[in-house]
Amino acid sequence: MTRPLREVVFVDGVRTPFGKGKGQYAETRADDLVVKLIRELVRRHPELPPERIDEVAIAATTQTGDQGLTIGRTAAILAGLPESVPGYAIDRMCAGAMTAVTTTAGSIAFGAYDVAIAGGVEHMGRHPMGEGVDPNPRIVSERLVDPSALVMGNTAENVHDRYPAITKDRTDAYAVRSQDLAAQAYADGKIQPDLVPVATRSAELGFGLATTDEPMRPGTTVDDLGKLKTPFRPHGRVTAGNAAGINDGATASLLASEETAKELGLPIKMRLVTYAFAGVAPEVMAVGPIPSTDKALAKAGLTIEDIDAFEINEAFAVQVLAFLDHYGIDQNDDRVNPYGGAIAFGHPLASSGVRLMIQLARQFEEDPSIRYGLTTMCVGLGMGGTVIWENPHWNGEKKGAA
């Protein structure tokens, strides 16, 4: 029997405010961040019977401690979902939440699920990337990858080497743009509706409430960034100012088949078109979004000119600029990360993919002339991931047309 694939839609997405490593979430458990988001999605959508949720997929890069024990299942139990709701954990490093979305979306399209929760969490202050890992010595001894591939900052410096036109001045200017756009987005109320406040506790400060992204540095200037050290290479180009930091946070999204969303009266914020992941040389992992985007565009029968909105994860400014230069897009193009990106908000590894989707859904809602948008990111160990979405609010016009 042949089953037709079903349309998959992004119903809603929420996230915690992101924190600095050892910052506002220093004494908050990673799984509690996820629990807060699952509860919020259920609270926001009383039209969804919790027992209709077919899966909870939660990603974490460092699956140990409070990020371990099949966190999708444990978070579902802790959030009070019916015990009939299963869950599991995912690891694709930075693209963990993105992979949680694409994996559950595939199951929805196939008909195995009707509704799923997908997201990610990373408490980098408690669980630094690489904690407890034991890389097989063959990776280095047999030169399977360049040793620099094991340090993400070094891979960003390698991309600078590959693209000499991407200077430090350009990456610093892009970083300032990210900070400025994020500050403006906050001022305009574009970010807050999707943030779920989190109660915090500190032995030093007592109880508090996290309501904003802690890593933001509004008012940053190019001169400020020019004074920062280049920790990965003497006289290098990658600094703490033109890269995302060490961050804590979580994201969660609600996905459904379009027919189920209509049946239950759930909102439809985005419609999934296609997705792709691709591998590149691990020592230049930041170029991964280029082949994954080429692959996704080909699958969709689209070209880059069809894309009117871009949410590109800013692990490093050089990574975004390599992508934009490849496609001939100006680094100040207003289609690119119009509300700011990870350089400002932070990049809690496995959670970031859904943050991109939340912001793209905001773009779709505010501009019905946008038909297609994409979310893309580089991934540790030499990968890229891209998801193409269609705007259900599209008005039939071309963005920018007279």
Side-chain angles (χ1 to χ4, degrees):
M1 181 178 71
T2 301
R3 296 182 179 182
L5 294 181
R6 303 189 299 174
E7 295 284 357
V8 180
V9 298
F10 183 95
V11 171
D12 203 359
V14 293
R15 69 178 179 92
T16 67
F18 289 166
K20 296 179 180 178
K22 302 188 185 299
Q24 60 189 3
Y25 297 134
E27 298 182 40
T28 302
R29 290 179 60 96
D31 49 11
D32 282 337
L33 295 177
V34 180
V35 167
K36 184 77 174 175
L37 299 184
I38 294 173
R39 287 177 173 169
E40 178 64 12
L41 286 173
V42 172
R43 186 195 71 80
R44 288 190 182 199
H45 298 286
E47 68 275 27
L48 172 64
E51 63 271 15
R52 290 292 301 271
I53 299 170
D54 294 305
E55 190 68 271
V56 177
I58 301 297
T61 302
T62 307
Q63 295 189 12
T64 187
D66 54 341
Q67 292 182 179
L69 198 61
T70 313
I71 189 169
R73 173 61 171 168
T74 55
I77 292 171
L78 290 165
L81 294 183
E83 62 182 15
S84 59
V85 178
Y88 63 102
I90 283 180
D91 174 19
R92 200 199 290 263
M93 297 188 77
C94 306
M98 177 179 280
T99 304
V101 167
T102 58
T103 301
T104 52
S107 296
I108 291 170
F110 177 73
Y113 307 154
D114 291 326
V115 180
I117 290 175
V121 64
E122 209 75 51
H123 200 305
M124 298 177 73
R126 182 172 296 162
H127 304 296
M129 183 169 63
E131 177 192 22
V133 301
D134 180 18
N136 192 302
R138 290 181 50 235
I139 290 177
V140 175
S141 66
E142 297 182 17
R143 300 184 180 181
L144 300 177
V145 302
D146 187 286
S148 64
L150 302 179
V151 179
M152 298 302 102
N154 287 342
T155 69
E157 288 285 7
N158 292 343
V159 174
H160 270 290
D161 294 340
R162 178 174 287 196
Y163 296 92
I166 304 177
T167 63
K168 184 175 183 301
D169 287 344
R170 284 186 64 193
T171 57
D172 285 351
Y174 182 84
V176 168
R177 174 187 185 270
S178 181
Q179 296 286 353
D180 289 347
L181 290 174
Q184 188 61 55
Y186 259 93
D188 294 340
K190 309 295 187 186
I191 304 300
Q192 297 92 324
D194 303 311
L195 299 182
V196 180
V198 176
T200 61
R201 181 180 63 84
S202 165
E204 181 180 343
L205 301 175
F207 289 95
L209 188 67
T211 60
T212 59
D213 291 302
E214 191 178 22
M216 292 174 57
R217 296 183 295 274
T220 296
T221 68
V222 171
D223 286 343
D224 294 333
L225 299 185
K227 300 171 186 175
L228 298 177
K229 296 179 180 178
T230 57
F232 303 105
R233 185 185 295 182
H235 310 293
R237 293 139 299 192
V238 178
T239 71
N242 58 33
I246 295 173
N247 305 117
D248 308 330
T251 61
S253 64
L254 190 61
L255 306 171
S257 71
E258 186 161 8
E259 62 192 56
T260 302
K262 290 178 177 178
E263 171 203 341
L264 296 175
L266 293 166
I268 296 175
K269 294 189 174 183
M270 299 194 294
R271 186 175 293 112
L272 180 66
V273 177
T274 194
Y275 61 88
F277 294 91
V280 296
E283 64 269 22
V284 286
M285 67 97 186
V287 303
I290 296 171
S292 65
T293 297
D294 285 344
K295 193 174 178 180
L297 289 169
K299 287 177 179 292
L302 299 172
T303 68
I304 200 69
E305 287 74 25
D306 294 311
I307 307 300
D308 291 322
F310 297 83
E311 285 291 340
I312 307 170
N313 191 45
E314 298 170 356
F316 301 95
V318 65
Q319 162 232 316
V320 181
L321 296 182
F323 179 92
L324 297 179
D325 284 5
H326 177 82
Y327 290 111
I329 301 170
D330 187 85
Q331 70 183 68
N332 294 310
D333 193 308
D334 63 7
R335 297 174 299 167
V336 177
N337 294 5
Y339 310 130
I343 290 173
F345 297 126
H347 173 31
L349 299 183
S351 71
S352 288
V354 167
R355 178 190 64 78
L356 301 175
M357 296 169 193
I358 290 169
Q359 292 187 197
L360 183 63
R362 177 73 57 195
Q363 289 197 60
F364 280 180
E365 181 181 31
E366 296 195 344
D367 189 349
S369 72
I370 297 172
R371 183 173 187 184
Y372 297 111
L374 64 77
T375 56
T376 189
M377 61 199 314
C378 63
V379 189
L381 298 181
M383 293 180 283
T386 301
V387 187
I388 298 176
W389 302 90
E390 184 178 23
N391 186 357
H393 315 294
W394 181 55
N395 61 12
E397 298 178 1
K398 175 65 178 174
K399 182 176 174 67

